[in-house]
Amino acid sequence: MPKTKVKPKSKAKKKQQAQAAAAAEPQLSKKELRRIARAKAQDRQRVISAIIPILLVSVVLGAIISFIAEPKLGVAGGAAIACLALSYRFPRYAIYGFIFYLPISGTVTYALGGSAILTLAKDAIFFPALLTVILFCQKYKQPLVQPPALRLPLIVFMSYSIAILLFVNGSQQLSSNGEQPILLGVLGLKALVGYLLLITCIHYLIRSKENLYFLLRTQAVLIIICCALGFVQYMMLKTGMCPPTQGEGDDLFKASLEARCFVGGALLYSPQFGVIRLPGTFVAPWQWAWFLISSTFFAFGTAFNDRSIIWRGIGILAMVMVGVMAVVSGQRIALALVPASVVLLLLMTGQLLQPKRFLPIAVGLAGILVFLAIQYPEVLSGSIDSFVSRWNAAPPTKFITHQLEWAMDQQQGLLGRGLGRATNAARIFGKTVLVETYHSKVLYEMAPLGLILLLSLFTILVITTFKAYRSIKDPNLRGYGAAMFTFVLFISYFPYYYPLDVDPVNVYYWLAAGIALKLPDLDRQERANNTGTGKKLTKKELKQLQKSQKSIEFRWP
């Protein structure tokens, strides 16, 4: 008798799970489908009826400003009014727009003239949307600070910060000579925790796994676009379409706006001396380097954990593009930390235990980077030589120690030198000093107690994100949570330079924390809706799900 083929147990089990999942999905009636269609049509009509008056008012006010002052100012004023009003009225879209605009903000700023006011354009998108979220929380008595564990350390830190603002910056204001120490302090405080409530925005605005995947997939696409624009910038410089850095002496080793090419802001391109510092789509090369490092974590999450094989491929492409730009941009810190971040992620997320998925990606990435090293040896050797010379001139341990000792020697009083006094972005309101490590900068501005309070806040955040990702059962969501937690951990205690003080890390840090903290809710929601598949909810998880379901869905107004 011919042998009957028996399907493997694993395949039969998967088939049963798929059938159970299909059975668990509720079938909507025609009446319910019509109701959903009507609700969507009403939402569209509401959006249109809100947008048209805002745009008309913006155009009229912009025309008035153009007539009184000048056309360029009128266009900027009208756009600012429209941006503020639309962000307040549609906070969900504004938060997405804020995250998506961030990587190209530098290019937009200098394409429109490079005014200092334009650097605050992203804040004109974020803070009106944040105001809407705050008003929503007050109206419906929802918690503003997420997670609850952050409330006490945040209250203590903010109380201490306000004391510095009043007693240190306030006393400086009384004796100021052309400076604005209070405004300087406000910008300094914004640089420290200004985007912390982005965690709250993510908590209320991401309602489902579809929202989450949309955000992370779009982030991967943005990484590819920005890296492609950066590569075009490099090729235009290499082929002579854009002139190299001009000048004599030290001018040939400094990034300048005069050398700006295609996208971004100030750049340095002196290949004859082996010195290249490209800004990509950002204002300065330093920001571009940290965009590449940050993007490694987001691209890694999509490459290894997206539920779609197509989007995993796009995530891999984003990782490749980040690796390419880490080589050709001439950024020594990106060249060092991008591969180091990949290794750290492999260790922290457990991907090394899945060789079938890990090895093909690792071999492909390594092959591409080897090809680039052969194709552009002068760029790679220049970056390595610059990294080695910098290391030898100022070893990181000595450099960090020197910065901390200097900050301690500069202390005046119990509350530090004042908020914003070492914040480069606040220099338009007063004199600032350059402190090249983040913790030394906080120590200089806020004294030892301020540094301790801020590190305590970061530590609580690290612990809560760790607990959140470890509670996730869905393997894809758990992988995303591990990548986001690793980024939060890495940035919280990174001692070299000041990534948390500048774009885009000062946004991506809180964004990653918000995503990691939202994932357990999405995981429990998914498992509750698919009772026939996966792991059942425990009593504790059921209570957590019921608690999260009590929170009112965000709708405004």
Side-chain angles (χ1 to χ4, degrees):
M1 289 180 66
K3 293 183 179 179
T4 304
K5 292 184 179 180
V6 180
K7 290 184 178 181
K9 190 176 180 181
S10 60
K11 290 185 178 180
K13 188 176 180 181
K14 288 180 180 179
K15 187 175 180 181
Q16 290 175 358
Q17 290 178 346
Q19 290 173 349
E25 292 180 0
Q27 299 295 323
L28 297 176
S29 65
K30 291 182 178 180
K31 184 177 180 181
E32 289 172 326
L33 290 173
R34 285 196 296 269
R35 182 181 60 79
I36 293 171
R38 283 196 302 271
K40 288 182 178 179
Q42 289 173 356
D43 286 341
R44 284 195 294 268
Q45 185 61 36
R46 196 182 300 115
V47 169
I48 293 170
S49 62
I51 288 176
I52 291 174
I54 290 172
L55 292 180
L56 287 175
V57 171
S58 301
V59 169
V60 170
L61 292 177
I64 293 172
I65 296 171
S66 299
F67 180 76
I68 295 173
E70 57 177 294
K72 187 181 289 187
L73 192 61
V75 171
I81 293 167
C83 182
L84 291 168
L86 290 171
S87 297
Y88 176 80
R89 181 61 182 79
F90 304 106
R92 188 184 306 279
Y93 300 120
I95 294 299
Y96 285 135
F98 167 69
I99 295 168
F100 301 154
Y101 173 74
L102 181 63
I104 61 169
S105 59
T107 297
V108 174
T109 295
Y110 285 109
L112 297 178
S115 170
I117 297 176
L118 290 172
T119 60
L120 302 175
K122 69 180 190 304
D123 294 331
I125 301 173
F126 174 69
F127 285 106
L130 176 61
L131 176 61
T132 304
V133 174
I134 292 172
L135 293 175
F136 163 80
C137 292
Q138 289 181 341
K139 182 177 180 180
Y140 295 103
K141 294 181 172 55
Q142 298 296 303
L144 178 62
V145 178
Q146 295 287 346
L150 277 185
R151 291 174 194 167
L152 180 58
L154 180 60
I155 289 171
V156 174
F157 176 77
M158 289 302 295
S159 301
Y160 182 78
S161 300
I162 292 171
I164 296 175
L165 192 63
L166 291 175
F167 295 111
V168 180
N169 293 81
S171 64
Q172 294 170 358
Q173 182 76 44
L174 295 175
S175 59
S176 64
N177 184 18
E179 291 187 330
Q180 297 294 331
I182 293 293
L183 294 177
L184 184 82
V186 170
L187 280 185
L189 185 58
K190 170 187 166 288
L192 292 171
V193 291
Y195 300 108
L196 183 146
L197 290 181
L198 182 59
I199 297 175
T200 306
C201 296
I202 295 298
H203 176 80
Y204 288 113
L205 301 184
I206 291 184
R207 297 175 290 187
S208 63
K209 285 176 68 174
E210 284 65 33
N211 295 151
L212 175 74
Y213 279 114
F214 170 75
L215 174 62
L216 294 169
R217 289 169 175 176
T218 310
Q219 190 71 13
V221 173
L222 279 171
I223 292 168
I224 293 170
I225 292 172
C226 291
C227 288
L229 292 172
F231 188 76
V232 171
Q233 180 185 66
Y234 170 74
M235 292 305 298
M236 291 177 73
L237 288 162
K238 184 176 176 62
T239 57
M241 294 179 67
C242 288
T245 300
Q246 306 292 323
E248 297 179 356
D250 291 342
D251 292 338
L252 294 171
F253 298 91
K254 293 180 180 178
S256 65
L257 285 172
E258 288 73 18
R260 181 179 178 272
C261 174
F262 186 51
V263 291
L267 67 78
L268 168 60
Y269 188 75
S270 299
Q272 68 274 27
F273 300 107
V275 182
I276 300 174
R277 301 287 183 270
L278 303 187
T281 56
F282 282 81
V283 170
W286 167 249
Q287 295 177 342
W288 176 246
W290 278 101
F291 171 74
L292 295 176
I293 296 164
S294 304
S295 297
T296 305
F297 293 84
F298 288 94
F300 184 95
T302 300
F304 283 92
N305 302 293
D306 198 282
R307 60 190 176 186
S308 167
I309 190 171
I310 295 174
W311 282 102
R312 287 202 296 271
I314 292 173
I316 293 169
L317 177 60
M319 289 185 68
V320 170
M321 295 295 286
V322 169
V324 170
M325 293 312 300
V327 173
V328 305
S329 292
Q331 297 293 331
R332 55 194 173 215
I333 195 164
L335 186 63
L337 291 186
V338 165
S341 298
V342 173
V343 173
L344 178 64
L345 282 163
L346 290 171
L347 293 172
M348 296 292 289
T349 60
Q351 292 297 336
L352 287 174
L353 302 177
Q354 302 181 44
K356 288 184 179 179
R357 179 179 290 186
F358 155 67
L359 285 177
I361 296 175
V363 171
L365 287 173
I368 291 170
L369 292 177
V370 169
F371 171 77
L372 288 171
I374 296 171
Q375 191 73 17
Y376 304 105
E378 70 284 354
V379 178
L380 182 63
S381 62
S383 297
I384 293 174
D385 291 343
S386 176
F387 180 82
V388 172
S389 62
R390 174 68 177 181
W391 184 289
N392 292 332
T397 52
K398 291 184 178 179
F399 180 71
I400 294 166
T401 303
H402 172 74
Q403 289 278 298
L404 289 170
E405 290 175 348
W406 176 86
M408 283 299 298
D409 292 339
Q410 296 295 315
Q411 291 299 304
Q412 288 184 356
L414 298 175
L415 298 177
R417 301 294 291 263
L419 289 169
R421 284 299 177 185
T423 303
N424 192 44
R427 65 186 182 276
I428 58 174
F429 293 120
K431 184 180 178 182
T432 61
V433 298
L434 177 63
V435 184
E436 296 186 78
T437 59
Y438 183 74
H439 301 100
S440 301
K441 174 249 186 188
V442 177
L443 179 62
Y444 178 85
E445 289 187 353
M446 305 184 71
L449 181 57
L451 178 59
I452 292 170
L453 292 176
L454 186 62
L455 287 176
S456 300
L457 181 68
F458 290 163
T459 301
I460 296 296
L461 185 61
V462 168
I463 293 171
T464 51
T465 51
F466 173 76
K467 289 180 177 179
Y469 111 78
R470 292 294 294 175
S471 69
I472 301 169
K473 301 298 187 292
D474 181 285
N476 291 332
L477 294 182
R478 188 183 178 92
Y480 271 124
M484 298 299 101
F485 159 72
T486 304
F487 181 65
V488 172
L489 175 67
F490 175 72
I491 295 298
S492 294
Y493 304 110
F494 188 75
Y496 202 57
Y497 285 119
Y498 43 96
L500 259 175
D501 215 35
V502 294
D503 295 340
V505 178
N506 60 352
V507 173
Y508 286 165
Y509 176 79
W510 306 109
L511 173 63
I515 292 172
L517 293 167
K518 183 64 178 179
L519 288 175
D521 286 344
L522 299 179
D523 179 54
R524 288 189 290 266
Q525 175 185 320
E526 186 74 12
R527 285 190 287 139
N529 293 337
N530 297 283
T531 54
T533 60
K535 296 183 179 180
K536 293 183 178 180
L537 293 172
T538 63
K539 290 183 179 180
K540 181 180 178 181
E541 289 174 330
L542 191 58
K543 288 181 180 178
Q544 291 172 332
L545 178 64
Q546 291 170 347
K547 184 179 178 181
S548 65
Q549 287 175 340
K550 287 180 181 178
S551 62
I552 300 171
E553 181 181 325
F554 180 85
R555 293 187 71 85
W556 189 261

